[in-house]
Amino acid sequence: MLRKKINHIIGAAFSECGYEGNFSEVINCKLPELGDFSSVGALPAAKLFKKPPRDIAQEIVNKLSGNPLFENIRIDGPGYINMKVTGTFLTDSLKEMLNSENLACTDINKEMIIVDYGGANVAKPLHVGHLRSAIIGECIKRVAKFRGHDVVGDVHLGDWGLQMGMIIHELELRHPEWAYFDESADTFPMEAPVTIEDLETIYPTASKKSKEDEEYLNACRKATTELHSGRKGYRALWRQVVDVSIADLKSDYSRLLVNFDLWLGESDAHQYLDMLIDRFIKEGYAKESDGALIIEVAEETDNHNIPPVILRKSDGAALYHATDIATIYERVKDYDPDTILYVVDKRQSLHFEQIFRCVRKTQLVRDEVVLKHVPFGTMNGTDGKPFKTREGGTLKLKELITTVTEKALSKLVDGGYGASLSDDEKKYVAECVGIAALKFGDLSNTCARDYIFELDRFLEFEGKTGPYLLYSAVRAKSILAKAEAGDIDATDIKEPVSQEEFNLMLALQAFPEACETSFRNREPMVLCEYGYNIAATFSSMYAKTNIIRETDPERKKAMLALVRAYLQVIEAVLDLLGIKAPERM
């Protein structure tokens, strides 16, 4: 917010001096002793208007001379304009930000955005491979909502593929007497005949058998086809398996503070497949190739191979291409979105390029609709390979969360934190700390980058970690709690007295910019960097200022008001990252 104000002032000065163009952007001054902000607009203006950059910079400085918003303006280097703002300007701007809607982060142009993330398969437990999609997608969704957009988050379950036929066939072999497998039956049990624990053994067994026995695999395919065709018993059993799975998935996701608006799956779009395929054939988009039905999406300008979209295999089965296209059709019909984001592993980039080209070629979406794949890298172990258990297996997500929470509890106890807390409070705080470590450790990396999972480092209370941000927020809460106990008002921010206060007030006002950049680039890392910066700046002020023991009442109120402002911003950052700060630690 503060930077935008200065941009406007600088831009107006360039225009008034006769330099029309995009020269208003300011950046943080690299050398704090030279100023708070720096304009480099004189350099591109010099190229355009054929004048020495320092001469142009001098004209701008002369125009701004005497402006009460700046304490000092100077020219450095080849034509940099370095500015130091006044305490009054800084304070008034911070107050305006704190009193504005969503801390001045609301977008003017409201959009309807769908975020597709999660991508869990039913009948299988979540594992570490589901972590990144869940927490990156949740953060992107929260940032978009915070900025005032209409946002819908969809888990997009894998609930309609061959794995469902595998489970049905395996259960039929084990329990042929069940009503689900009697084609003449019309009524079925109200309660599911299997638990999530049953499914965790049934699916791996069926998957193993299908790889070893061609006849078994064909029977699974047949069961899948009959499920899709509407066989009553199979549909009833499928529905119960899905419901059991969703209950377990919700439990795991909720521990990560991940919440979906929609729990739809591939099955929900199945009803549109035949209609869409008929339309594509009629309109000349689809054609047969080696018995399969395809749509060509390659273009003459391509410099890499783009295979066709396969709508239907030669055996009549629909693939992921078809269900993803039908899902886009369904979303457009139900929500008319401006943007659809897919938070999915970067290894699926080709798939989404094919799908996006297909729906545009077949005119299923408006030209203005943004279709974007937000790719993410792999969470790796210290060996640089995808994270596994010590035995080499895939680690369940609930086991990872439990491990992180237990280590966090041990860290809290060993570090002497929360000595006055009850055992239940300690467990709650440990889960907050563990989830903060897990999420911040992941989100602080660029989405598309692979990263090394280092739990011990993520759990540190110093450095760029989730626990460091949590402890900083809890420290601010503790200071304010003591002030409230002493009936001290902490609502009116005053001009900064120390450089540390000035630095914190300056840092807090970069929040709208950080939020905007994170939203625009779909990068949670931006908020992690910003959160760490303001936490470190707050800690520096705290270390040099004894707020609670301050004897001047007015000075104490002003400092407490600044602490409250910091807490308001750091809690907003943590909430956008999907991290909850406890009241005490």
Side-chain angles (χ1 to χ4, degrees), residues 336-375:
D336 190 23
D338 300 294
T339 298
I340 306 178
L341 303 175
Y342 291 82
V343 184
V344 183
D345 190 316
K346 63 183 179 183
R347 290 170 290 189
Q348 298 297 316
S349 293
L350 177 59
H351 170 81
F352 285 107
E353 187 172 10
Q354 292 172 283
I355 296 305
F356 296 163
R357 287 190 182 194
C358 185
V359 296
R360 291 201 186 281
K361 181 176 182 177
T362 57
Q363 301 179 53
L364 290 188
V365 298
R366 292 179 284 112
D367 291 342
E368 301 80 15
V369 175
V370 174
L371 300 171
K372 183 174 178 58
H373 175 209
V374 182

Side-chain angles (χ1 to χ4, degrees), residues 120-127 130 158-171 174 194-212 216-217 220 224 241 245 320 394 396:
N121 289 313
V122 301
K124 304 178 188 178
L126 290 176
H127 56 76
H130 293 105
D159 65 347
W160 203 237
L162 180 59
Q163 83 271 18
M164 300 311 303
M166 290 180 179
I167 292 168
I168 290 170
H169 179 59
E170 180 62 25
L171 285 173
R174 297 184 186 192
V194 291
T195 64
I196 192 64
E197 290 76 21
D198 295 330
L199 293 173
E200 288 179 9
T201 62
I202 290 168
Y203 176 73
T205 299
S207 179
K208 184 174 184 296
K209 285 183 179 181
S210 67
K211 294 173 183 176
E212 299 171 347
Y216 183 93
L217 176 59
C220 293
T224 305
V241 168
S245 296
Y320 292 122
T394 301
K396 293 179 184 178

Side-chain angles (χ1 to χ4, degrees), residues 312-332:
R312 203 162 49 198
K313 294 197 302 180
S314 56
D315 63 2
L319 297 180
Y320 292 122
H321 283 159
T323 54
D324 277 351
I325 290 167
T327 298
I328 290 177
Y329 173 83
E330 180 182 37
R331 288 169 174 167
V332 169

Side-chain angles (χ1 to χ4, degrees), residues 202-242:
I202 290 168
Y203 176 73
T205 299
S207 179
K208 184 174 184 296
K209 285 183 179 181
S210 67
K211 294 173 183 176
E212 299 171 347
D213 185 341
E214 185 69 22
E215 185 177 344
Y216 183 93
L217 176 59
N218 288 334
C220 293
R221 287 171 174 161
K222 182 175 182 291
T224 305
T225 300
E226 292 184 6
L227 169 68
H228 291 177
S229 299
R231 182 168 166 176
K232 292 181 181 179
Y234 284 6
R235 283 289 180 97
L237 180 58
W238 164 80
R239 183 70 264 168
Q240 291 177 336
V241 168
V242 170

Side-chain angles (χ1 to χ4, degrees), residues 92 109 137 144 164 214 232 247 283 291 306 308 312 331 358 361 366 394 397-398 413 418 439 511 514 567 572:
D92 290 344
N109 298 316
M164 300 311 303
E214 185 69 22
K232 292 181 181 179
E283 295 178 359
I306 305 292
R312 203 162 49 198
R331 288 169 174 167
C358 185
K361 181 176 182 177
R366 292 179 284 112
T394 301
L397 190 54
K398 57 169 58 75
V413 172
K439 297 183 93 168
F511 176 61
L567 181 60

Side-chain angles (χ1 to χ4, degrees), residues 290-310:
D290 296 327
L293 189 67
I294 68 168
I295 295 179
E296 295 283 1
V297 292
E299 299 172 357
E300 291 183 2
T301 55
D302 290 337
N303 55 16
H304 60 291
N305 181 45
I306 305 292
V309 164
I310 302 176

